[in-house]
Amino acid sequence: MRPRTLAALAAVLALPLTLLSTPVSQAVAVTATASSTEGSGFEASQAADGDGATRWASEEGVDPQWIRLDLGAAGTISGVTLTWEAAYAKSYKIQTSPDGTSWTDVYSTTTGDGGTDQLTLSGSGRYVRMYGTQRGTAYGYSLWEFEVQTSSGGDTTPPSTPGNLRSTATTASSVSLAWNASTDNAGVTGYEVHRGGTLVNTVTGTTFTDTGLTPATAYTYTVKARDAAGNTSPASAPVTATTQQGGGTETLLSQGRPATASSVEGAGFEAAKAVDGDTTGTRWASEEGVDPQWIQADLGANATVSRVKLTWEAAYGKAYKIQTSANGTSWTDVHSTTTGDGGTDDVAVTGSGRFVRVHGTQRGTAYGYSLFELQVYGTAGSGGDTTPPSTPGNLRSTATTASSVSLAWNASTDNAGVTGYDVYRGGTLVNTVTGTTFTDTGLAASTSYTYTVRARDAAGNTSPASNTVTATTQPPTGGGTPVEANGRLRVCGVKLCNENGKQIQLRGMSSHGLQWYSQCLNTASLDALATDWKADVLRISMYIQEDGYETNPRLFTDRVHNLIEQATARGMYAIVDWHMLTPGDPMYNLSRAKTFFTEIAQRHNSKKNLFYEIANEPNGVSWSTVKSYAEQLIPVIRAIDADTPILVGTRAWSSLGVSDGASETEVTGNPVNATNIMYTFHFYAASHGSNYLNTLSRAADRIPMFVTEFGTQTASGGGGNNFGMSQQYLDLMAQKKISWVNWNYSDDGLSGAVFTGGTCPNGPFTGTSRLKEAGVWIRERVRTPDDF
């Protein structure tokens, strides 16, 4: 079922807020039930799983409705957090109960307005209920998350989430599952296995076989751990398995196997992401806009292949083949289609081989090809080594610096011999080494990183993941990367200051629109920007309209998330640019901006290297309109992130009104009512002369200014360069410590793009051999030593 449009937009953008925390309260795991459910996938448990992308939704159009949480034991209730989807409650009560029958009101409102309600309460009980009596919309009631804080004196610490839930075998009537054990402060007593929203069994081990199923049917499972006090963990990642057509047993052969692809969109989208067992989070993505493309899995030995399951992301294959090969060179087609429509393709095939490939010949979208998961099922062959090494033991951090973490672990064993170890930071493979030590470099200071290690043998078999270790890098030392040198920045007076109060100037580059030139932001180009160009800051420009965010909010939000992580890993500051341009009224996108910046702030508010640029170039509207927009959006961000500087666009294409014949006085005389903010100014030196230059100079003496975009060319971003006027601007900005970012770090056809045509995505990006005239000029000035 496709969710309604409004709900779908919210569903892909919302994330859970941080739980309330006080010296006497803590979050607890719960079991959830509800008065009704809109349909499959919207069960009550979805509001208590810690996942802000899933939700409970009640039957539509009916009052009253309720959702109830069982805390597992009685306790003192100190708070409740309700994260509403678009279908919110206008009137509702929060109630507690010792037995789930007799209820006591501890909170009541008739003026609910959706969003997030963080409530401080005083009550007690084992059960907590949200009881809705009047809907705020024509739909039902819907919550992304229903969270309770309690100060119970007993054990209220839930077990950790079961890891790596996977299907290990299927028959026509059964699905076999396995998962990694959870941990608990007092001990795990069992695991609840859920099929869809239904509890089917509770087991003490880490395996289970679900029987009595229907042939050729897909079933989705999650697992929760439970301790002796009744605390339950968050649900595991879901896994979907399809029973066979008839008799026999098939095994998932591809998970964790070596995978390669014809191309990769960028860091974080490697082929290995499609065989890691995560069917909803990580994915492989090819280069955009190019046919054909392929991805293949090496099963390690010849196998009989009976089924291939493809879980497509939005960028799917309309025409593709599934092929097998004994040697990775000669391929046999076992399935072919020209009418692919995305979603999940679960294809029964007949074939054999060591290698299985998906060969796409026609994209279904303007993007590339992207698979959350490529799953190959069948019977493993006996012609090769299929025994994985043992799990690496005692992974530990042996040393940290401000930019590195050193790791060590105990060696694995293997029937034929271990050939290497894959080191993962979070879910990303960062290196493969032959020894039992590794140092991860280029990290951000004062930041926590989580690692696991897998052993690999000559046949490509990989072990289960090691224990997880988390290490935190040292505080900044005053040197190294820009972020190491300066830490979290803030506005002090009319200047930008580092965490030690020193006034500083940042210099860097802006991306072009992520919908057109994301291929220019890859591992090599970002390494070059940080180390060869020595840039302090990357502006991540995400257009809203013009084939941008509005067309696919999830896709573009994920791209921004990824680029923030890329900038962070390289010690650069990152400007998250809400690149509104047409229409010029920021109010047109206010709701979208609130949704987008809420997610960005929720995920990255602990980082020290961000700026939020909330309106690129307002135009065709008054300063009072821009100011009103900022004063409505900034509190939304500040409710989540109190410390990151916010950049406010100015009227008339961020010219302080000059392009419309006004001046900076409309801003200096009526500033935005907010703190730790700066105002943006854009210029193009071949079009904008001394009037613009003098305006910037006067404004910088009165209000904090940041030039988030400029070019040496005309306002179109093309035409001839005026390096003389450009240098006047740079001299002024150096004198007054005004930070700046140049447009643009791409290979588009205009003179303002720094790279010559065809440089992206393969480079080279270092040196000057592939730079246009403007690129050579600006690179030299970005590279000027910083005064940090």
Side-chain angles (χ1 to χ4, degrees), residues 284-373:
W284 162 69
S286 76
E287 176 185 2
E288 294 185 352
V290 178
D291 288 313
Q293 300 287 345
W294 54 263
I295 180 173
Q296 68 182 48
D298 179 356
L299 307 182
N302 278 316
T304 300
V305 179
S306 57
R307 184 162 63 95
V308 175
K309 182 177 179 181
L310 307 177
T311 305
W312 293 101
E313 191 255 351
Y316 65 92
K318 181 177 181 181
Y320 66 87
K321 299 176 180 179
I322 298 174
Q323 303 171 311
T324 60
S325 173
N327 54 17
T329 303
S330 302
W331 295 93
T332 300
D333 296 347
V334 294
H335 176 75
S336 180
T337 184
T338 59
T339 58
D341 58 358
T344 299
D345 293 341
D346 200 338
V347 182
V349 300
T350 301
S352 63
R354 171 173 172 169
F355 301 88
V356 176
R357 179 168 77 171
V358 180
H359 188 266
T361 55
Q362 182 181 355
R363 291 165 289 114
T365 71
Y367 304 112
Y369 297 82
S370 184
L371 282 167
F372 283 116
E373 200 72 2

Side-chain angles (χ1 to χ4, degrees), residues 79-119:
V80 162
T81 301
L82 303 175
T83 306
W84 294 101
E85 189 252 5
Y88 66 92
K90 182 177 180 182
S91 298
Y92 69 91
K93 300 175 181 180
I94 301 298
Q95 303 173 313
T96 62
S97 172
D99 55 8
T101 302
S102 302
W103 295 94
T104 300
D105 296 347
V106 294
Y107 175 81
S108 178
T109 184
T110 59
T111 58
D113 60 356
T116 298
D117 294 342
Q118 291 182 311
L119 309 175

Side-chain angles (χ1 to χ4, degrees), residues 160-226:
S160 64
T161 306
N164 192 25
L165 176 63
R166 54 204 181 271
S167 170
T168 55
T170 63
T171 69
S173 61
S174 70
V175 171
S176 295
L177 304 169
W179 55 91
N180 295 349
S182 298
T183 58
D184 185 70
N185 62 322
V188 174
T189 58
Y191 296 90
E192 298 177 354
V193 182
H194 296 258
R195 185 196 317 125
T198 302
L199 176 65
V200 292
N201 210 330
T202 299
V203 297
T204 57
T206 57
T207 61
F208 173 68
T209 297
D210 192 16
T211 59
L213 305 180
T214 303
T217 303
Y219 295 92
T220 299
Y221 297 88
T222 56
V223 173
K224 296 182 179 182
R226 181 177 287 276

Side-chain angles (χ1 to χ4, degrees), residues 442-516:
L443 306 178
S446 301
T447 302
S448 294
Y449 295 93
T450 300
Y451 297 89
T452 54
V453 174
R454 293 176 183 263
R456 182 178 292 276
D457 65 18
N461 301 304
T462 55
S463 74
S466 70
N467 60 291
T468 298
V469 66
T470 299
T472 302
T473 51
Q474 299 293 322
T477 59
T481 68
V483 177
E484 287 174 340
N486 296 291
R488 188 189 292 273
L489 305 182
R490 59 184 175 87
V491 178
C492 53
V494 295
K495 304 297 182 185
L496 183 64
C497 294
N498 66 15
E499 64 183 10
N500 299 317
K502 178 181 176 62
Q503 296 177 356
I504 65 166
Q505 180 196 39
L506 302 179
R507 299 186 303 272
M509 296 298 299
S510 176
S511 74
H512 205 311
L514 301 185
Q515 74 274 47
W516 299 312

Side-chain angles (χ1 to χ4, degrees), residues 607-628:
K607 291 183 170 63
K608 298 183 177 182
N609 64 320
L610 294 190
F611 294 86
Y612 303 127
E613 185 175 0
I614 61 175
N616 167 56
E617 291 185 352
N619 58 87
V621 294
S622 66
W623 167 244
S624 63
T625 297
V626 180
K627 179 174 181 287
S628 175

